Amino acid sequence: MNKLLVIATSSVLALLAANAQAACDKMEKVTAAWLPIMQTTAYYVALEEGLFEKACIDIDSQKMESPNHIIDALVGGRADFGPPGAAAGIAMLAESRFPGTFKVFGLQGGGIAVNRINDGLIVAPDSDISGFADLKGKSLGHVPGIQWRTISRHMVRAAGLDPDKDVQLTDLAVAMQVPAVAGGSVDATLSLEPVGSIAVASGKAKRAVTNPVASVIADPFYSGAAVLTTRFIEQRPEVARKVVEVIDQATDLVNADFDKYKAILPKYTAIRDSQLDLLAQPYLRPFHDLNETDLNSYQAFVDVFVQEGVLKEPMDIREKMLKPADLAGKP
């Protein structure tokens, strides 16, 4: 009887799959370049729930090792979009070098008012560091790359210190941040979730400050973005519209029931099953919900690159945001 049930179930699933395929005139191939972090959760949900297939999209899913690799793939035409979790700052740095390359259609991060943790100043359990002002003569580790180097410099400067003289800034891979603090090779790290939650639960480190970046730059603070290439939008606007709709749908699912969907994170990230209960829910903003608060926050972040001399001229991020009219004139 069980064997018959398995055969019947398999037949039904095969029929459903065939019907879904038949409903599409053709499957459109779309290449995504993504980073294995929590901010990318909506993309994982879209894959797991088969949302791309239902939208007649055949996803070529390319996992990248750093935010820079995502942007390089997009600029170089090797990917059509960066799912949630692409570096919001680096995207605009690339846009300044190659104007007209990107459109942003979602933001990811955290904030104090929304009670979502994005980052923390992580120190040893017995450390007397209680904020960035206490880092004079000490070392601070951060996520490798220009985005978090710039943020770290700004945080140090905002605390009244000179990032060139008072603090030693160190690129530190995410997996090495807690061991580095615990072992004393750095005095503190500016770390993205889930590093802080896992560190606190392990007892090997503590948060000296929760969401320090939101307290200085903007609340909420968005370090991640979802981006489309303008090439993709112009050449296949209907397909680009479907991508946005899929990511929006998946984002809504995650926001409504993070406890359900976080179970898929170990499949796509370095997070282990035993760590799932420690995770703080990210703040994910879909295209259809973006508002003035979100845009002002993103603008404040990009302005930091100007203040720190990384961007030579101010940039209006509203000109870089996707608009409904971009998607084949759909409302």
Side-chain angles (χ1 to χ4, degrees):
M1 190 66 176
N2 287 341
K3 185 179 293 186
L4 291 175
L5 181 61
V6 170
I7 293 173
T9 301
S10 298
S11 299
V12 169
L13 291 175
L15 181 61
L16 289 174
N19 287 340
Q21 185 74 26
C24 300
D25 292 333
K26 68 173 182 176
M27 296 293 287
E28 291 279 357
K29 185 174 181 180
V30 175
T31 302
W34 58 280
L35 202 62
I37 58 176
M38 281 185 62
Q39 291 182 355
T40 316
T41 300
Y43 177 66
Y44 312 146
V45 169
L47 294 176
E48 292 296 305
E49 295 288 356
L51 301 183
F52 288 111
E53 289 85 350
K54 293 173 185 175
C56 304
I57 294 173
D58 176 20
I59 281 287
D60 177 10
S61 192
Q62 299 290 326
K63 183 170 75 170
M64 300 291 166
E65 297 302 320
S66 77
N68 297 60
H69 292 161
I70 292 177
I71 302 305
D72 287 347
L74 294 168
V75 171
R78 300 187 302 279
D80 300 304
F81 82 108
I90 295 175
M92 291 302 99
L93 292 178
E95 177 70 14
S96 71
R97 292 183 59 197
F98 307 100
T101 300
F102 300 110
K103 290 292 183 180
V104 175
F105 70 96
L107 295 167
Q108 305 84 42
I112 299 165
V114 297
N115 195 30
R116 294 284 185 266
I117 301 175
N118 182 70
D119 49 77
L121 181 63
I122 310 302
V123 300
D126 59 352
S127 173
D128 58 1
I129 296 172
S130 61
F132 284 81
D134 297 323
L135 291 175
K136 187 170 184 177
K138 300 185 185 299
S139 55
L140 175 69
H142 58 78
V143 177
I146 188 63
Q147 174 162 309
W148 281 95
R149 172 60 62 106
T150 303
I151 292 170
S152 297
R153 287 177 61 83
H154 188 76
M155 295 298 294
V156 167
R157 200 184 306 279
L161 301 179
D162 185 336
D164 293 315
K165 298 178 181 178
D166 295 330
V167 181
Q168 179 184 342
L169 297 177
T170 304
D171 281 11
L172 202 55
V174 172
M176 296 306 298
Q177 290 178 3
V178 173
V181 169
S185 57
V186 295
D187 296 295
T189 61
L190 177 56
S191 297
L192 281 166
E193 278 295 300
V195 172
S197 292
I198 293 171
V200 171
S202 71
K204 295 179 180 179
K206 66 180 181 181
R207 284 194 196 94
V209 187
T210 299
N211 279 332
V213 183
S215 71
V216 171
I217 296 178
D219 186 21
F221 173 72
Y222 299 111
S223 56
V227 298
L228 297 163
T229 67
T230 52
R231 181 192 303 107
F232 179 36
I233 296 170
E234 291 167 359
Q235 293 179 354
R236 295 188 289 167
E238 281 292 324
V239 182
R241 177 179 60 81
K242 289 179 180 180
V243 167
V244 173
E245 290 173 348
V246 164
I247 294 298
D248 269 14
Q249 182 182 355
T251 301
D252 288 342
L253 290 173
V254 175
N255 287 338
D257 196 349
F258 179 67
D259 284 342
K260 171 184 176 182
Y261 288 108
K262 69 182 181 182
I264 67 176
L265 288 171
K267 179 176 178 180
Y268 295 94
T269 73
I271 295 166
R272 298 189 297 272
D273 289 329
S274 61
Q275 298 171 328
L276 290 177
D277 290 339
L278 309 175
L279 301 183
Q281 182 173 346
Y283 190 50
L284 309 177
R285 300 293 288 159
F287 177 60
H288 66 79
D289 271 351
L290 292 177
N291 57 34
E292 282 301 300
T293 297
D294 299 323
L295 298 184
N296 290 338
S297 176
Y298 191 18
Q299 184 68 63
F301 177 28
V302 175
D303 289 346
V304 166
F305 286 89
V306 179
Q307 296 165 25
E308 292 295 328
V310 179
L311 269 177
K312 301 307 179 186
E313 297 180 355
M315 177 180 290
D316 184 355
I317 60 93
R318 283 167 173 78
E319 296 178 356
K320 312 302 178 182
M321 305 301 293
L322 183 72
K323 297 175 178 60
D326 295 326
L327 301 173
K330 295 292 180 180

